Amino acid sequence: MTRVAIIGSGPSGLAQLQAFAAARAAGTEIPEVVCFEKQSDWGGLWNYTWRTGLDEHGDPVHGSMYRYLWSNGPKECLEFADYPFDEHFGKPIPSFPPREVLYDYITGRAVRSGVREFIRFNQAVRWVSWDGSAFTVSVEDRADRADRADRADRADRTFRTEVFDHVIVATGHFSTPNVPDYPGFKTFPGRVLHSHDFRDASEFAGKDLLVMGSSYSAEDIALQSAKYGARSVTISYRTAPMGFGWPDGISEVPGLVRLDGRTAHFVDGTSREVDAIVLCTGYQHNFPFLAEDLRLRTTNLLCTPNLYNGVLWLDNPRLMYLGMQDQYYTFSMFDLQAWYARDVILGRLPVPGRAEMAAHIDGWTARLATLTNPEEEIDYQADYLRDLIKDTDYPAFDLDLTAAHFKTWEHHKVESILGYRDRSFSSPCTGSTGPLHHTPWWSEPDDTLATFLRTE
């Protein structure tokens, strides 16, 4: 029987498991599917941990989630077409849920479809290689390593190898931080951390915070820190300011030059006294467990190199990657990629020759170079999803509506960076409109599921 390895059970890995479960439920014989998850539970980044640095087994912490994180895009644009929010919660819910609500939704579908049976938890994939006919996957049982550490007969770490016909990399690309260095960091008397290690905005209450970056993490961490009591937040941008109508206490300045003690000096000649620095400087695509000839190397782009249809590895289409693009769409894109990958494995969809695949990638890359604004980027990624869905049996949803929602959302952020989460959008799956949350986001300190779902 054909064997398929899925690495990771975050949103991408769970999407792949869901795709196979849907095919099985429809009467299709599916391959033997094994999902290796290095954490003790599913959810990937959405599986919140208080830990930073190293986890309980001595591996780098995977999660980058922090307390009080709320969705920064409409939930309607990431909705599962086969499992709408209305179905999971039994009613329409507001359009911008906090982390705990989204985690409940993601895992709720996984529970319903019974995909946990495919997952081996605490199993860290340490190496994947290709011998010309199959993949060899080397795996360490981290729970066994921990058990050995507590015993007198502690042995060296043990690994096992298994052979697979297909490997699907679903590990995401927001867990290995990109950490720059600046003159004065070494002697700065305050804390310097990457957003990967940011866990609680209230840590910076009463402090003057420097946030370095100009994308979603910088935007949200600056707002969160101000919301939970930072005395001031200075956002330092390298290329261009975000330019939102920030509340009092948040300001933007050009790039950092150096630090003298607590004094931060910027390229425009200004300076600020700061107590702590959060580096919102992005992430690296990092796959140390893959042999060199299988390893994706890219920055965060809407079209990744060497991936046909954003999924199939150009030099070996039996290797597949999910969720490696820069993202407007998230969960819904992962679903469509997973359905596409499944149908290639099942033989339902053809795999073109290498030259045709390379030309296809080049076409999308050339179009990417012509994009000049977020609305064009949204249309670009929506067209990519449209290409993926056309040949699969993924349930229909209103893709045009989601693109329109994203564009409206962009305008709402410009109108009010504090109030854009207090808006409602309609579902592309059910047509229902999310009710307004009972408390404006800027005034709501509680991000728990129970408080969010409370009606007043």
Side-chain angles (χ1 to χ4, degrees):
M1 174 181 283
T2 298
R3 302 191 78 220
V4 179
I6 301 170
I7 306 175
S9 67
S12 293
L14 291 178
Q16 192 64 71
L17 293 174
Q18 181 70 19
F20 280 115
R24 182 175 63 177
T28 299
E29 182 178 353
I30 65 171
E32 180 184 353
V33 177
V34 179
C35 179
F36 298 104
E37 171 53 58
K38 71 179 180 180
Q39 299 187 93
S40 61
D41 205 355
W42 55 19
L45 288 180
W46 295 88
N47 181 18
Y48 171 80
T49 177
W50 60 268
R51 296 179 184 272
T52 60
L54 301 180
D55 67 15
E56 64 271 33
H57 299 294
D59 289 321
V61 167
H62 183 75
S64 301
M65 290 284 169
Y66 45 86
R67 292 186 65 192
Y68 314 125
L69 182 143
W70 294 60
S71 175
N72 64 351
K75 78 179 196 307
E76 290 78 10
C77 294
L78 54 79
E79 191 165 17
F80 301 136
D82 66 341
Y83 191 66
F85 280 94
D86 291 2
E87 180 178 344
H88 178 72
F89 291 104
K91 61 181 181 181
I93 66 169
S95 291
F96 292 86
R99 182 207 60 82
E100 188 177 326
V101 175
L102 285 173
Y103 178 81
D104 192 71
Y105 175 62
I106 299 164
T107 58
R109 183 175 71 161
V111 169
R112 184 195 67 170
S113 58
V115 300
R116 200 173 181 92
E117 65 176 285
F118 296 115
I119 306 174
R120 300 179 187 175
F121 293 102
N122 282 310
Q123 305 290 298
V125 172
R126 299 304 190 191
W127 193 247
V128 179
S129 60
W130 168 257
D131 66 5
S133 60
F135 295 97
T136 298
V137 179
S138 177
V139 182
E140 181 186 11
D141 186 329
R142 301 204 309 162
D144 180 64
R145 192 211 314 175
D147 182 56
R148 288 172 183 270
D150 290 336
R151 298 195 325 235
D153 62 340
R154 180 177 180 181
D156 291 337
R157 292 162 60 178
T158 58
F159 299 84
R160 72 175 187 283
T161 60
E162 297 188 39
V163 176
F164 292 90
D165 302 285
H166 300 270
V167 169
I168 300 171
V169 180
T171 54
H173 59 96
F174 296 111
S175 59
T176 301
N178 179 54
V179 184
D181 188 20
Y182 283 83
F185 271 14
K186 186 181 295 187
T187 55
F188 177 64
R191 188 176 180 207
V192 180
L193 67 153
H194 192 274
S195 58
H196 178 63
D197 296 322
F198 180 90
R199 289 292 181 269
D200 192 331
S202 60
E203 173 185 349
F204 303 106
K207 295 183 178 180
D208 296 307
L209 181 66
L210 173 61
V211 173
M212 296 181 60
S214 57
S215 193
Y216 296 124
S217 291
E219 167 198 314
D220 198 56
I221 286 175
L223 288 171
Q224 295 278 6
S225 299
K227 179 178 175 179
Y228 288 93
R231 181 165 50 206
S232 72
V233 180
T234 301
I235 305 170
S236 173
Y237 59 87
R238 186 171 59 182
T239 304
M242 289 179 275
F244 295 117
W246 302 107
D248 291 342
I250 300 181
S251 59
E252 293 187 90
V253 298
L256 178 69
V257 175
R258 71 182 189 281
L259 285 137
D260 292 324
R262 292 188 182 275
T263 306
H265 298 271
F266 305 100
V267 297
D268 63 352
T270 62
S271 63
R272 304 281 176 92
E273 296 295 307
V274 297
D275 300 308
I277 302 170
V278 180
L279 303 173
C280 298
T281 47
Y283 292 84
Q284 303 174 19
H285 289 66
N286 186 41
F287 311 102
F289 53 87
L290 293 175
E292 190 68 28
D293 59 335
L294 305 176
R295 193 175 300 175
L296 176 66
R297 296 189 183 280
T298 182
T299 53
N300 196 29
L301 301 169
L302 288 170
C303 179
T304 43
N306 297 315
L307 293 182
Y308 174 67
N309 274 339
V311 176
L312 306 185
W313 184 240
L314 181 61
D315 290 321
N316 184 352
R318 290 201 199 176
L319 173 67
M320 304 175 185
Y321 286 84
L322 302 182
M324 294 300 155
Q325 296 76 13
D326 191 6
Q327 297 157 9
Y328 285 91
Y329 291 91
T330 54
F331 302 164
S332 50
M333 181 173 73
F334 307 155
D335 265 13
L336 294 178
Q337 291 177 332
W339 256 251
Y340 170 77
R342 178 204 68 186
D343 285 355
V344 168
I345 292 170
L346 293 178
R348 294 176 176 178
L349 295 176
V351 177
R354 189 188 188 284
E356 184 178 343
M357 290 194 291
H360 186 268
I361 296 169
D362 288 345
W364 280 96
T365 301
R367 180 181 166 188
L368 178 61
T370 69
L371 306 182
T372 61
N373 58 60
E375 292 199 354
E376 291 179 355
E377 293 175 350
I378 291 164
D379 286 337
Y380 178 90
Q381 194 154 76
D383 286 346
Y384 166 62
L385 268 61
R386 196 170 282 110
D387 260 12
L388 287 176
I389 199 172
K390 68 180 188 303
D391 295 321
T392 72
D393 63 355
Y394 190 74
F397 67 101
D398 194 339
L399 180 56
D400 291 335
L401 179 64
T402 62
H405 282 345
F406 271 130
K407 294 172 186 177
T408 300
W409 161 76
E410 287 277 2
H411 290 298
H412 286 169
K413 291 179 70 176
V414 172
E415 292 170 11
S416 175
I417 193 62
L418 298 185
Y420 77 88
R421 287 185 171 101
D422 303 323
R423 303 282 194 141
S424 292
F425 292 83
S426 58
S427 167
C429 305
T430 66
S432 65
T433 298
L436 291 178
H437 189 241
H438 51 72
T439 307
W441 175 78
W442 187 245
S443 305
E444 176 58 271
D446 189 341
D447 68 336
T448 61
L449 183 147
T451 295
F452 180 79
L453 295 180
R454 187 183 74 232
T455 57
E456 291 183 353

